[in-house]
Structure formats: structure tokens, C-alpha cells
Amino acid sequence: MNAMPAVARPGDPGIRSRRSGVAHSARRPYRDLADRPHRALGSGDAPRAALRLTRRGRVVAAAVAALLMTVVSLLAAGAVQATNHALPPVAARQNLVQVVVRPGESLWSVAESADPDQDTRAVIQQIVDLNSLSGDVVFAGQQLWVPRG
């Protein structure tokens, strides 16, 4: 005789699940939050942080922080550079004067007119050092600190 298998209903206490072997009625979801078991926090347990970053998120956060630090340091360096156009510290101690290069003048002619009694090459070197020039070319309208002769 062919027997028909019984239909399993979740509410029947006698029907067991094939996976867990536990009756369906024992696996009933919690209807009230108060019925749910909860884990009590002990003295060593700390609540979990709400934000968890993936590896890519940590890399992006580190890159953004590094970029921010770079921008801040460049801005600070630019501010220091922008305020560094006052009288050089050497000028306060030495006898210096500021001159404006006129059209057609060279560094040689500026040095000769600044201190005619000194060797012109030595005066040119002083002018280059005082004004942090990269070469011996000067332009009309450029302001230079030169030793007073």
C-alpha cells in the first residue's frame, strides 16, 4: 500500500525539521523584543563601533588625510614665503640701500654706481647674495639691495 506522507505544519509540536532536528514550534520567531535573549555587557566588553571601514575605505581615508596635510603644509610654506620680502637681516646690520634697476642697466653698472671704490666683481657677488639672485641678469624695474659706498 502506498502511504501518503504527512504534511508538515510549522505549528505542529510533533513535526521535526530535517535540518536541525528541532521542532518547528521551538524555532518560532520572537514576537516581542522583551522575549529576545540579550547578551549582558560585562566589564571587559565594549560596545562595537558603528562605523567599520573596508580595506579600500582605510586606504582612501589615509590618502585624504595625506592630501590634506600636504595642502596645509604648502599653504603654510606659501604664507611664510609671501611674508619674507622685508629688509633682509643683513641689511639691518650693514650699510645697505635699495635701488631700482633702470632700463639699459646691467648688474655690472649697478654694482659700479653702488660702490665705485670697491672691486666691482666683489660688489656684484654681494648684490647676488643679498637679493638671492640665481644669475647675473637683472630687469628694468627690479628692486635690489646694494651696499652703500
Side-chain angles (χ1 to χ4, degrees), residues 84-94 96 98 129-132 145:
N84 198 14
H85 295 293
L87 184 67
V90 177
R93 288 180 268 136
Q94 293 181 355
L96 298 178
Q98 192 171 27
D129 292 340
L130 285 171
N131 296 286
S132 302
W145 289 103

Side-chain angles (χ1 to χ4, degrees), residues 25-52:
S25 62
R27 291 188 306 145
R28 164 174 55 120
Y30 302 108
R31 296 179 192 247
D32 189 13
L33 291 178
D35 294 342
R36 288 178 57 184
H38 62 279
R39 189 181 78 167
L41 292 177
S43 62
D45 294 337
R48 284 187 156 194
L51 178 66
R52 294 185 69 204

Side-chain angles (χ1 to χ4, degrees), residues 51-65:
L51 178 66
R52 294 185 69 204
L53 291 177
T54 61
R55 181 177 183 207
R56 181 173 30 172
R58 288 189 299 269
V59 168
V60 168
V64 167

Side-chain angles (χ1 to χ4, degrees), residues 6-120:
V7 177
R9 286 185 232 129
D12 290 344
I15 306 296
R16 304 231 178 235
S17 169
R18 287 186 181 176
R19 286 188 185 162
S20 65
V22 177
H24 286 287
S25 62
R27 291 188 306 145
R28 164 174 55 120
Y30 302 108
R31 296 179 192 247
D32 189 13
L33 291 178
D35 294 342
R36 288 178 57 184
H38 62 279
R39 189 181 78 167
L41 292 177
S43 62
D45 294 337
R48 284 187 156 194
L51 178 66
R52 294 185 69 204
L53 291 177
T54 61
R55 181 177 183 207
R56 181 173 30 172
R58 288 189 299 269
V59 168
V60 168
V64 167
L67 182 65
L68 183 64
M69 293 287 288
T70 303
V71 167
V72 168
S73 63
L74 287 175
L75 287 174
V80 168
Q81 189 73 13
T83 59
N84 198 14
H85 295 293
L87 184 67
V90 177
R93 288 180 268 136
Q94 293 181 355
N95 194 12
L96 298 178
V97 65
Q98 192 171 27
V99 298
V100 178
V101 179
R102 289 175 284 197
E105 279 189 315
S106 64
L107 191 55
W108 186 274
S109 62
V110 170
E112 278 184 333
S113 63
D115 196 354
D117 297 333
Q118 295 291 324
D119 181 20
T120 307

